[in-house]
Every structure is written in structure tokens, then in C-alpha cells.
Amino acid sequence: MTTSQDFHHHLGQELQAIRDSGLYKAERVIATPQGAHIRTVAADGTVREVLNMCANNYLGLSSHPQVVEAAHQALRTHGYGLSSVRFICGTQDLHKTLEARLSRFLGTEDTILYAAAFDANGGLFEPLLGETDAVISDELNHASIIDGIRLCKARRYRYKHNDMADLERCLQQAGAEGARYKLVFTDGVFSMDGTVAQLDAMRSICDAHGALLGVDECHATGFMGATGRGTHEHRGVFGRVDIITGTLGKALGGASGGFTSARREVVELLRQRSRPYLFSNTVAPVIVGASIAVLDLLEGSTALRDKLADNTRHFRKAIAAAGFDIKPGEHPIVPIMVFDAARAQQLAARLLELGVYVVGFFFPVVPKGQARIRVQLSAAHERADLDRAAAAFTQAGRELGLVP
Ligand SMILES: *Cc1c(COP(=O)(O)O)cnc(C)c1O
């Protein structure tokens, strides 16, 4: 065998091991725009019209006519691509406008755009913190936060998920070990459970220990809080979080792009030193123009986030009444607990036959014995959709002996 044959044979064995352990992830092909109702095409060519309950399309903006129109408009006025990073010739008036609008929306001084939130988190810690500093991170933080922290030289501390006593223990330890600056960082909302970080308690604890507080708002910007500003608004600490990272790729239209929003000095230093910003292309004008239209919509009316909150309450109530075990909460992520991985997959497969598209999550994405279906609600759903979904869950759940 040549080295090349040997290497590719080795990869084939790795892939087989992933399949054998039941962890292989396949892509489902969709033949429509994103929305409450989509058409899927299976590998064997089977076409299905399904109710989509697993998108991050929280506000239903992914295919919203005003957003699509703004994208067309930006394409006409600002072209398709810029073929440049920001600091050479990749900054248009649109980019500056969107950064200012995001700052206003989030209650911060300044904002820097990235190609993705993964890059915002990946390029956040290394420029800001040195080896005499400390970063204190929730154990369930998103992969991009973990990677970003790995790239920086600061000392790392990890506290038990959402455990304020353990956070304090880490801060004490970091202090005792002589940390110069301490940055506590958390997801605003955790994607597997819909848990909302206790930013109010965290702010007090950080103040008591002289620490900065940062939050990743990917599952919150646009709909958490009375006017949709995010978890900081929801928890009563609007304007009091030091660093916010977020995405344009979920509630805010769902195309792609991310940002970091913070004090002027933080953003200015990131523009000088953050590697994904310096060495990767600017966000396309189509996305930037459409994102400005998204903020126009959200600042003009809370109707979409109100409808989402209403849908969330309605569906949570219906699915609990049907006898399902759900993680309590108020976030549009609704984890429906099945516990057993095989049954979670059976439930998702049966629901697809019944015209409801949801996905089962099991180890290693969630702990062993904690398999679940994660439903995500959207302002694009109508009451009739939710009732249909609850009825399908009830039927499939009964067939599998999960509910009475
Ligand atoms: C989705 C997500 C990201 C990544 O966002 P992209 O813009 O798609 O790269 C980062 N952090 C959290 C918490 C997320 O949920």
C-alpha cells in the first residue's frame, strides 16, 4: 500500500466506527426556502411536505418578504462580493451602518462584524487576555467559545453548568492565583436545554470579584427580553454586560455572519488583532443590507417576538398536557425528554412519517441516558401548526409507549 492508500483506508475505518456507534450525521436535503412548511427530499427520492420544528428561525425572518427585498436592494446598490478583508477594501457604508445599529440594539458602544459567530468567539479571547489573566467558563459553553479560549494564553477555569457557587469558587481561585484581569464567559441560552444564564446573579458575583462578564447571545438576540434585545434585557442587566457575541445566522434572518459588541476599546483592539477579522473575508453586502432591515423590523415592533413567546407558551402547555416530560422554562427551545437514544430516534422517525420534522439528540451531544427531541418554535408557526405537531407527538408517543 502507498502512504496515500493507507491514509484513506484509515479514514474509511474511522468513518465506519462512527457509523457503528450510531453517531453518523447525515444531511437532510430541503428543496424550498426555510420556513414553517418545507419540502424534504430523501436519498431514495421520496419527497415530503413537513412542518419544520428544528430551525433556528426563531422570528420567521429567514424568508420574510421585507428581508428578502432588502437583500435584493443591497445586491443592486452594493454588488455581490467585495473580494477583500475589511481593512483593505472590504468596508462599505452598509457595514458601518450595521455595526452602529447592532450597538444601539444591544446597548453597547461599538460592534465588529465577523464571517460567523464561530469566528467572533474564536477571535475574541487571544487579543484581549494574556498569560497573567484568567478566563472562567461554563462547562457547557458552545464549542466556539471552548476553541477561542484554547487559542489564548490566559489561565482557564471551568465551573459546573449554571452553578453560581462553583463560579464563585473559580473566581476565588483565580484571584488567589494572582490573575490580573478575570473574564467570566457564558452562553446566554444553552442550546440543548434552553437554559437561560443567570446574568443578573452573574453580574453581582463578577462585581464582587472584580471580574468582567461576557455572553454569547446566539440563541437570544432578537427575541429574549421584552423588546428582544437579548438575555441581558430578559435578566434586567441591559447595558451591564461587558462583552456580547452573537450571530446573524439564527433569529436575525439566518443567513450567516457574527459579531462582537462591547466597549469602544475592546472593539478597536479586536480590529487590530483579532485573527478571523484580519485574515478572512468581509461579510457580503446582501447579508449586511438584509440585517439592517431585520433591525428596522425588530425596533419598529415587538410583534414577532411576542408571537414567538405566545407560541412557546402554547406548545409547552400542549405537550406537557399530553404527558410528555419536558424541561421546564420559557425559551422556544423545548427539550422533550425520551432518555433512551434508540427510542428518541424512533420517535423522530415516526414524527417525520406523520409530517413533523424534529431531530433526536443523544450522547455525546447530551449526557448518556438524557436523549431527547429538541423542538424549536418560531414566529412563522401558526396555532394550527402547533396543534398539529402536538397531536402528532401524542400519536407517536402513544405508539412507542412514552405517554398514556
Ligand atoms: C450557533 C452558535 C454559534 C455559531 O454561530 P455561527 O454564526 O453559525 O458561527 C456560536 N455560539 C452559540 C452559542 C451558538 O448557538
Side-chain angles (χ1 to χ4, degrees):
M1 257 203 261
T2 66
T3 301
S4 168
Q5 283 169 333
D6 182 45
F7 177 65
H8 294 101
H9 178 71
H10 159 72
L11 296 189
Q13 286 176 325
E14 292 273 307
L15 286 163
Q16 195 52 47
I18 295 171
R19 278 193 197 91
D20 292 346
S21 59
L23 300 177
Y24 193 86
K25 282 178 275 308
E27 294 175 345
R28 190 169 298 284
V29 177
I30 293 166
T32 54
Q34 188 61 275
H37 300 269
I38 56 171
R39 194 160 61 241
T40 66
V41 187
D44 64 4
T46 311
V47 173
R48 273 205 184 89
E49 306 280 340
V50 297
L51 175 59
N52 188 6
M53 304 203 76
C54 55
N56 297 314
N57 182 22
Y58 293 113
L59 295 170
L61 294 175
S62 304
S63 309
H64 190 285
Q66 272 170 264
V67 178
V68 172
E69 179 46 38
H72 280 293
Q73 178 77 18
L75 188 58
R76 283 190 293 267
T77 58
H78 287 73
Y80 171 66
L82 282 170
S83 308
S84 171
V85 298
R86 282 290 296 274
F87 74 90
I88 298 177
C89 50
T91 300
Q92 292 172 320
D93 48 357
L94 281 184
H95 295 83
K96 299 314 287 179
T97 301
L98 178 58
E99 287 174 342
R101 291 291 302 274
L102 280 167
S103 307
R104 183 171 92 190
F105 189 74
L106 298 168
T108 56
E109 283 185 3
D110 202 359
T111 298
I112 172 174
L113 295 172
Y114 287 87
F118 206 105
D119 290 329
N121 287 329
L124 176 69
F125 301 93
E126 188 260 340
L128 300 180
L129 301 173
E131 53 196 29
T132 56
D133 301 321
V135 53
I136 298 114
S137 175
D138 188 293
E139 67 179 351
L140 292 191
N141 274 348
H142 190 262
S144 55
I145 299 171
I146 295 170
D147 285 10
I149 291 172
R150 278 187 187 142
L151 291 171
C152 91
K153 294 202 174 68
R155 287 216 196 93
R156 300 162 203 172
Y157 302 84
R158 210 164 58 150
Y159 60 94
K160 291 204 191 77
H161 175 51
N162 199 27
D163 182 332
M164 296 298 102
D166 204 41
L167 167 61
E168 286 219 79
R169 178 192 62 79
C170 287
L171 279 163
Q172 263 150 12
Q173 195 185 338
E177 289 173 1
R180 180 183 57 166
Y181 300 116
K182 301 184 278 285
L183 171 61
V184 173
F185 209 89
T186 183
D187 280 18
V189 175
F190 292 84
S191 62
M192 286 302 137
D193 299 278
T195 307
V196 183
Q198 304 171 59
L199 291 187
D200 44 350
M202 294 181 77
R203 181 70 271 174
S204 305
I205 292 169
C206 286
D207 288 346
H209 290 268
L212 299 155
L213 177 60
V215 57
D216 173 340
E217 285 282 86
C218 285
H219 285 283
T221 307
F223 59 94
M224 290 298 284
T227 63
R229 309 301 159 120
T231 313
H232 56 345
E233 182 183 30
H234 179 77
R235 289 293 192 205
V237 290
F238 187 79
R240 292 172 50 216
V241 168
D242 297 291
I243 298 174
I244 294 172
T245 61
T247 185
L248 304 173
K250 288 184 174 124
L252 302 184
S256 66
F259 54 83
T260 297
S261 205
R263 283 280 298 273
R264 198 167 287 122
E265 296 84 350
V266 168
V267 171
E268 199 173 342
L269 192 62
L270 292 175
R271 286 193 206 280
Q272 301 308 309
R273 299 229 177 109
S274 182
R275 292 163 68 85
Y277 173 86
L278 292 170
F279 297 104
S280 187
N281 200 27
T282 186
V283 182
V286 169
I287 294 174
V288 178
S291 299
I292 294 168
V294 165
L295 293 178
D296 286 341
L297 276 169
L298 301 188
E299 286 183 348
S301 160
T302 61
L304 291 174
R305 60 85 49 210
D306 295 345
K307 184 174 177 195
L308 174 61
D310 215 44
N311 281 351
T312 300
R313 278 189 294 271
H314 184 78
F315 185 78
R316 279 179 172 273
K317 210 166 136 195
I319 210 78
F324 284 97
D325 185 345
I326 62 172
K327 295 242 174 203
E330 47 199 330
H331 195 273
I333 290 172
V334 186
I336 300 174
M337 302 306 293
V338 181
F339 305 104
D340 178 65
R343 289 175 101 201
Q345 280 170 289
Q346 285 163 1
L347 180 57
R350 181 67 182 126
L351 283 163
L352 190 65
E353 287 172 0
L354 296 173
V356 177
Y357 182 30
V358 290
V359 177
F361 288 92
F362 40 90
F363 185 78
V365 179
V366 295
K368 278 208 170 99
Q370 292 285 306
R372 66 197 63 180
I373 301 284
R374 181 180 71 176
V375 165
Q376 289 174 283
L377 298 162
S378 168
H381 292 134
E382 300 303 333
R383 270 297 163 89
D385 296 326
L386 304 179
D387 293 340
R388 206 186 111 210
F393 263 97
T394 305
Q395 181 184 337
R398 282 189 185 139
E399 288 169 9
L400 289 168
L402 289 165
V403 295

